[in-house]
Amino acid sequence: MAIDVYLTFNGNCRQAAEFYAEVFNTEKPQIMTFGEAPKDPNYSLPEEAKDLVLHTRLDINGSNVMFSDTFPGSHFVQGNNVSLAFVSNDMEEIKRVFGRLKEGGKVAMDLQETFWSKSYGSLRDQFGIEWQLSYEE
């Protein structure tokens, strides 16, 4: 699978994704909000997060471009809001790549099961590049 670009926005993700869909003449994005995610009984979702975009993607000329808003209160720096997403259907490959990328880097979220993936993690590598790794069957 290819490496995908992941763009993060500060509350205006829906507007950006719809704009890019129009600019590149692609289908309208299917948007999942934080409020539509499965509920966690140990955590209540802040009201200001419910309508923010948790995830959407566009196919732009054969490239998968993914988008989300930052969670309220999360650090956001315009210009540094791009990460690379490595998606694979090989669990051992996900573990191997994550292990190598974290050498000298900083793990933001260790590999773990989420509601969208059996194994997902994120980190900044030793060169300052943000990565998201996800197992996808």
Side-chain angles (χ1 to χ4, degrees):
M1 294 185 161
I3 291 179
D4 301 323
V5 65
Y6 206 108
L7 305 175
T8 307
F9 295 85
N10 197 22
N12 59 347
C13 180
R14 180 184 306 271
Q15 178 185 356
E18 290 173 352
F19 173 76
Y20 294 132
E22 183 181 313
V23 167
F24 294 104
N25 196 28
T26 189
E27 65 186 40
K28 186 175 172 137
Q30 295 181 8
I31 294 175
M32 178 184 213
T33 64
F34 283 99
E36 294 169 324
K39 306 295 181 243
D40 181 344
N42 300 315
Y43 180 76
S44 66
L45 187 67
E47 192 62 38
E48 65 271 20
K50 290 182 179 174
D51 291 329
L52 294 176
V53 176
L54 172 64
H55 181 75
T56 191
R57 73 174 85 197
L58 295 174
D59 179 334
I60 298 178
N61 200 29
S63 293
N64 192 40
V65 181
M66 298 183 282
F67 306 79
S68 72
D69 277 312
T70 56
F71 195 77
S74 297
H75 185 67
F76 177 85
V77 178
Q78 190 167 350
N80 290 344
N81 51 329
V82 176
S83 62
L84 299 176
F86 180 77
V87 180
S88 175
N89 60 3
D90 182 336
M91 184 70 79
E92 292 308 311
E93 182 178 40
I94 291 288
K95 291 176 183 177
R96 180 186 63 74
V97 170
F98 190 87
R100 291 298 313 275
L101 287 174
K102 76 178 187 179
E103 293 172 8
K106 181 172 170 61
V107 174
M109 181 177 175
D110 218 343
L111 285 176
Q112 60 190 272
E113 187 167 343
T114 64
F115 72 87
W116 67 87
S117 174
K118 288 186 179 181
S119 185
Y120 171 85
S122 61
L123 57 86
R124 176 181 296 131
D125 72 17
Q126 62 185 313
F127 303 105
I129 304 299
E130 300 285 339
W131 290 92
Q132 298 182 57
L133 290 88
S134 185
Y135 173 79
E136 186 175 284
E137 294 183 79

